[in-house]
Amino acid sequence: MTTASGASPTRPPLGITALGAYAPARVISNADFEARLETNAEWIESRTGIRERRFAAEDEFTSDVGVGAVRDLLARDPDALSEVDAVICATVSPDALMPSTAALIAMQVGLTGVAAFDLSTACSGFVYGLSVAQGLILAGTARRVLVVGAEALSKVVDQDDRNTAILFGDGAGAAVVGPVPQGYGFQQFVLGADGAGGSSLYIRCAATKLPGGFEMAPGVGMNGREVFKFAVRVLGDSGNEVLAKTGLTSRDVDWVVPHQANIRIIEAANERFGVPMSRTVVNVDRYGNTSSATVPLALREALDDGRIQEGHQLLLVAFGGGLSWAAGTMRWWAGTPSLQPRAAAAAEVPA
Amino acid sequence: MATFEDVKDVIVEKLGVDADKVTPEARFVEDLGADSLETVELIMGLEDRFGITISDEDAEQIRTVQAAIDYIGSQQ
């Protein structure tokens, strides 16, 4: 056993103790946009790496998508929610500004009465949420925390805006944060935000202008060049920073699980922290940018196909509107049914 | 001082083109085949290599290899 876990010896080890994910059934291909927008499928794929994404049904909203991820988690591990005292929902497409989407999800999965709140750091929300969950537990406020990253961005994006309509999809991931054995779990987090870049990526709400007078358009507003430059640099820098804080280098990383916005951002950022694409989990081709859901969706996929296994060193990196960023290191623990490949989990169900 | 060779290195790396295609007169989009994101990657590569910041407005004016050399020279 090395001391490379990065956890303080006096800090009880905490990590992900259950994981579920959900993507709506409706598949939208690049060709589906050709009919409505002045664009073409090849152009979309070469610029973004996205081939298709999922859209929620007409009457399916973010809380429903989030509940889908929690139900997936429960199907794999029926006891996973015991001791959960708080629910955090990271989302930028909430059902409403109030009630919180977290409260609506908690109600639907039988967690009535526990703490529940939404977290608004856009695409970095899930990684932010893991860190906040760790804090709630270390402070003694909660024993375990359910962190849901859920989005129904198709309801928010202007479907006639070809710059943004093609990029986003719907989906959710749900993780329970709780105690894990010594030597596993969360090591370090790096969180940040810079409102000066707020106008680069926004969704309008009560105000029509941002400080400084920037006029916001309806739908999702994005300055693609600015976001690209910010994303590549902040993913590289925050990834390197959290590795250094953990006492690791990129050579120690078994898997990078990055926010899935655009394959070219992932590739350019990887160059900066020196982890090859062969050790990077990518599923942007099939889901597009699902904001707070990308990291747990990618994690779930890499667990199901057996890429991520117990003892692996993970690096999670994400960036989003705010502008915001979050990076985390963790050593994977696979001690509960939902943290193992789908096949292995299914094999434990009595015949 | 940015030399032609220094700038050429960045262009070859970011645009993935043959070094002999990179002449002072070459235009990034028309002659070297850069798409919109590659031009952003190229600008970022020049910023990193020469320790400068290139605003969006300025970046739009930098369309040829020589223009990049001149711009970098004016910022250093």
Side-chain angles (χ1 to χ4, degrees):
Chain A
M1 242 7 231
T2 67
T3 54
S5 82
S8 141
T10 57
R11 204 169 77 188
L14 296 171
I16 291 174
T17 63
L19 187 76
Y22 170 78
R26 184 155 57 124
V27 178
I28 307 293
S29 72
N30 289 347
D32 292 333
F33 288 102
E34 287 181 334
R36 293 192 296 106
L37 300 171
E38 209 174 296
T39 187
N40 75 72
E42 254 173 65
W43 188 94
I44 296 172
E45 188 172 348
S46 72
R47 295 306 191 284
T48 67
I50 300 167
R51 283 190 282 120
E52 60 189 42
R53 71 289 288 144
R54 305 295 184 90
F55 277 10
E58 287 289 310
D59 58 351
E60 189 178 31
F61 294 92
T62 294
S63 64
D64 305 309
V65 178
V67 166
V70 181
R71 295 222 166 105
D72 176 57
L73 180 157
L74 287 169
R76 297 163 187 268
D77 183 354
D79 297 326
L81 297 183
S82 69
E83 299 187 347
V84 167
D85 299 312
V87 178
I88 300 171
C89 181
T91 184
V92 287
S93 51
D95 289 19
L97 284 179
M98 68 177 183
S100 71
T101 301
L104 299 177
I105 292 172
M107 168 195 67
Q108 292 186 78
V109 300
L111 289 170
T112 309
V114 309
F117 60 96
D118 288 356
L119 187 156
S120 172
T121 60
C123 308
S124 55
F126 181 78
V127 182
Y128 250 87
L130 295 179
S131 177
V132 173
Q134 179 190 42
L136 286 171
I137 297 169
L138 289 177
T141 309
R143 289 167 297 170
R144 291 175 193 262
V145 178
L146 175 64
V147 180
V148 182
E151 305 287 359
L153 289 161
S154 64
K155 317 279 188 198
V156 176
V157 170
D158 176 357
Q159 293 298 337
D160 294 324
D161 176 8
R162 65 174 183 162
N163 291 319
T164 54
I166 59 169
L167 299 175
F168 297 99
D170 302 338
V176 176
V177 174
V180 297
Q182 198 64 243
Y184 292 100
F186 299 153
Q187 294 158 315
Q188 297 289 339
F189 287 101
V190 166
L191 309 178
D194 179 4
S199 60
S200 297
L201 191 52
Y202 60 83
I203 299 173
R204 199 168 76 175
C205 180
T208 58
K209 288 179 183 174
L210 289 171
F214 179 89
E215 195 87 41
M216 287 182 285
V220 174
M222 186 183 75
N223 178 330
R225 290 176 72 99
E226 289 296 321
V227 172
F228 186 91
K229 288 174 81 169
F230 161 75
V232 169
R233 290 193 168 124
V234 84
L235 284 180
D237 291 350
S238 62
N240 282 326
E241 186 183 345
V242 80
L243 285 173
K245 209 172 152 187
T246 317
L248 300 173
T249 72
S250 57
R251 284 189 302 279
D252 301 311
V253 176
D254 294 299
W255 290 104
V256 179
V257 186
H259 169 51
Q260 315 275 320
N262 180 320
I263 189 66
R264 290 171 62 174
I265 290 174
I266 296 173
E267 286 170 350
N270 271 29
E271 268 179 44
R272 289 176 179 253
F273 44 67
V275 178
M277 290 301 286
S278 59
R279 288 193 276 131
T280 302
V281 181
V282 173
N283 64 6
V284 70
D285 52 323
R286 279 158 292 128
Y287 298 103
N289 183 347
T290 56
S291 193
S292 63
T294 64
V295 169
L297 274 170
L299 256 182
R300 183 67 261 169
E301 186 168 304
L303 283 176
D304 278 334
D305 64 24
R307 274 179 290 174
I308 292 178
Q309 296 181 359
E310 182 154 293
H312 276 173
Q313 177 63 49
L314 306 190
L315 168 63
L316 274 48
V317 284
F319 68 92
L323 296 165
S324 66
W325 57 94
T329 46
M330 60 197 67
R331 193 165 284 280
W332 193 253
W333 177 64
T336 68
S338 73
L339 303 181
Q340 293 157 10
R342 190 181 290 277
E348 286 175 18
V349 176
Chain B
M1 194 59 203
T3 67
F4 173 65
E5 291 302 321
D6 291 335
V7 173
K8 186 160 96 175
D9 283 350
V10 177
I11 295 168
V12 167
E13 188 201 329
K14 296 298 173 189
L15 303 188
V17 292
D18 291 337
D20 57 11
K21 292 216 171 122
V22 183
T23 60
E25 303 76 34
R27 295 166 299 175
F28 297 122
V29 176
E30 296 86 346
D31 301 323
L32 302 179
D35 71 21
S36 57
L37 286 185
E38 280 169 340
T39 58
V40 181
E41 288 170 354
L42 175 62
I43 292 295
M44 292 175 72
L46 294 172
E47 288 179 335
D48 292 344
R49 175 71 169 262
F50 299 104
I52 56 174
T53 303
I54 306 174
S55 71
D56 249 19
E57 297 78 53
D58 289 349
E60 278 171 30
Q61 302 308 315
I62 303 172
R63 299 197 179 113
T64 65
V65 177
Q66 188 61 49
I69 295 167
D70 293 344
Y71 183 84
I72 295 160
S74 75
Q75 297 295 306
Q76 287 181 320

